[in-house]
Amino acid sequence: MKTEYVRLDPQHPDPEVIRRAGDILKNGGLVAFPTETVYGLGGDALNVEASGRIYAAKGRPSNNPLIVHIADMEHLPTIVTEIPEKAFALANVWWPGPLTMVFNKRDIVPDTTSGGLSTVAVRMPNHPVALELIRAAGGYIAAPSANTSGRPSPTLAEHVREDLDGKIDMILDAGEVRIGLESTIVDFTDEVPMLLRPGYINMEKLEEVLGEVLVDPALSGGNADGNMRPKAPGMMYRHYAPKAELTIVEGDEAAVVEKILELAANARKAGKTVGILAADETAGAYSDYRVRDIGSRRTDKEIARGLFKALREFDRDGVDVILSESFETPRMGGAIMNRLLKAAGNRVISARGDGPFGPKNFDPKGPSPRAVYNEP
Ligand code: AMP
Ligand code: MG
């Protein structure tokens, strides 16, 4: 299949292009498009075949459900059975925006879209191209991130092309995304809302609107019975992974720098090419190596936006080993570390060497020992 690639003005997309892309979707085809979080791979959410094609193009397990994207609030009751007051309140503040809410679904949503679940995840993205496209496609676009399953999510149309060229009908390129991490997912199917995936909207922001919010125990290593099964099936899978072996080093700033330099020197001695992922404040210490400075800890927006891109760039450079600082920033640290830990397959080394995350005690198959969600 030939994939058509079209550049668009992010604020004022050409209506003719949007109409054509909408027609492709209405006919069961696939179109990748920008949102404010990451690029999405869109298909008609109410069309069984289209959602089947999404799984095939991404190589995604078919029990990992898709998020349905809508552009207008009046479309929500068509696909979900019940909308609690609190969900309306959250939508009021955060839609359109980086928020996905899970509800009980209506039969009109095919089981392929919901990965066989009786619930459906819904989001209203905050991007003119996405909103126009959803309307042109008839109102409901199922769209997971537009990457090959397991690879870092795409923050540029170029990343989509790397993974999906020849497998989908069209890619709409409106430049780099603003946020760079996938949406915050909140489940509303139980009495008390529950955070299933951390994102740009952190716990503090959720609690401002919702009051009590539970956190899926799977995010911090399982519940008291040792049940690790996350409510968002996608959180189970190894994800975002670069080709190189990625290790996170955590601890005090100075100790982290020292440990990374030691590990890097050892790897180099063993004949390996080393890439280092660092924040602005410390990147200068690694000038002997291929270092990617992804932004300041003070304004973690750059770190969030640059993370997936940096992982892909290391792949392109062909490094064998990536050593990363940890980024436990106050605002988005929970979401950033959630993605980074997954990308690293939970490989974390303590800069102090023998702490709970030290190599001696570290079980690579075990759950992350860290409470992944650690917003203040
Ligand atoms: P992606 O769009 O690639 O970021 O993946 C969508 C995420 O939403 C995955 O982690 C899914 O498991 C999750 N998700 C989608 N639908 C549901 C649902 N009905 N209940 C819980 N999680 C969901
Ligand atoms: Mg994804």
Side-chain angles (χ1 to χ4, degrees):
M1 170 189 294
K2 170 123 180 56
T3 302
E4 190 184 350
Y5 187 96
V6 191
R7 286 219 165 76
L8 277 179
D9 180 330
Q11 292 310 318
H12 306 283
D14 179 348
E16 181 49 31
V17 173
I18 294 291
R19 193 190 55 73
R20 231 158 24 84
D23 284 346
I24 291 174
L25 290 166
K26 279 181 180 161
N27 289 317
L30 303 186
V31 176
F33 62 96
T35 78
E36 79 278 33
T37 58
V38 300
Y39 273 76
L41 173 57
D44 180 350
L46 307 186
N47 176 332
V48 178
E49 274 107 55
S51 44
R53 281 186 199 117
I54 292 178
Y55 291 102
K58 279 180 61 80
R60 178 176 175 113
S62 59
N63 63 352
N64 184 5
L66 310 174
I67 294 172
V68 177
H69 292 69
I70 60 173
D72 300 287
M73 204 58 191
E74 62 259 33
H75 284 149
L76 186 58
T78 316
I79 52 174
V80 312
T81 55
E82 199 185 332
I83 308 163
E85 259 332 291
K86 285 191 171 173
F88 270 118
L90 200 59
N92 250 334
V93 177
W94 285 105
W95 271 4
L99 167 72
T100 296
M101 295 193 278
V102 175
F103 303 102
N104 289 312
K105 80 173 186 72
R106 284 192 193 280
D107 291 342
I108 188 176
V109 180
D111 285 340
T112 39
T113 298
S114 70
L117 298 177
S118 60
T119 57
V120 62
V122 190
R123 176 162 109 86
M124 189 188 290
N126 187 5
H127 195 297
V129 173
L131 292 170
E132 293 302 314
L133 182 65
I134 293 164
R135 292 183 183 120
Y140 310 91
I141 299 185
S145 51
N147 52 304
T148 299
S149 195
R151 293 211 70 210
S153 299
T155 58
L156 289 164
E158 187 50 39
H159 300 160
V160 181
R161 184 140 67 172
E162 256 171 38
D163 284 10
L164 299 177
D165 192 36
K167 297 180 176 169
I168 63 177
D169 297 283
M170 192 183 228
I171 298 174
L172 299 177
D173 177 358
E176 188 167 16
V177 301
R178 268 185 295 127
I179 294 179
L181 297 179
E182 303 87 342
S183 57
T184 302
I185 305 182
V186 183
D187 181 293
F188 280 95
T189 60
D190 268 326
E191 206 86 337
V192 185
M194 183 187 276
L195 175 73
L196 305 189
R197 175 171 75 182
Y200 178 86
I201 307 169
N202 63 18
M203 270 303 258
E204 200 182 342
K205 299 277 181 220
L206 292 176
E207 283 165 350
E208 267 171 28
V209 183
L210 300 174
E212 189 190 7
V213 181
L214 301 174
V215 178
D216 186 346
L219 285 180
S220 53
N223 66 13
D225 307 329
N227 180 6
M228 272 293 296
R229 202 172 182 80
K231 266 192 112 172
M235 301 294 280
M236 214 158 34
Y237 297 102
R238 174 104 197 260
H239 227 123
Y240 320 119
K243 291 172 190 144
E245 182 182 275
L246 166 62
T247 303
I248 304 166
V249 180
E250 62 99 49
D252 302 337
E253 192 174 288
V256 166
V257 171
E258 195 182 323
K259 188 73 183 176
I260 287 184
L261 287 172
E262 178 197 321
L263 294 168
N266 290 345
R268 186 177 267 175
K269 252 186 246 145
K272 299 198 167 146
T273 328
V274 179
I276 295 175
L277 196 59
D280 227 16
E281 288 79 1
T282 35
Y286 312 110
S287 53
D288 251 13
Y289 297 91
R290 199 181 300 247
V291 54
R292 288 226 144 72
D293 168 357
I294 54 170
S296 168
R297 290 174 197 281
R298 280 190 301 273
T299 58
D300 57 7
K301 286 189 175 158
E302 279 175 33
I303 295 178
R305 185 163 51 217
L307 178 65
F308 290 138
K309 183 167 144 193
L311 294 177
R312 280 182 181 260
E313 284 169 355
F314 279 131
D315 275 356
R316 224 169 302 150
D317 298 346
V319 302
D320 305 307
V321 167
I322 303 171
L323 300 168
S324 177
E325 297 184 337
S326 62
F327 304 99
E328 275 127 359
T329 55
R331 172 69 185 79
M332 254 188 289
I336 293 168
M337 289 310 293
N338 169 270
R339 307 314 192 271
L340 192 57
L341 280 158
K342 271 196 189 305
N346 284 332
R347 202 168 14 241
V348 184
I349 289 180
S350 165
R352 286 168 294 276
D354 52 6
F357 315 116
K360 272 183 263 155
N361 304 315
F362 183 65
D363 170 16
K365 286 205 282 304
S368 159
R370 162 190 317 287
V372 171
Y373 199 79
N374 57 357
E375 294 292 351

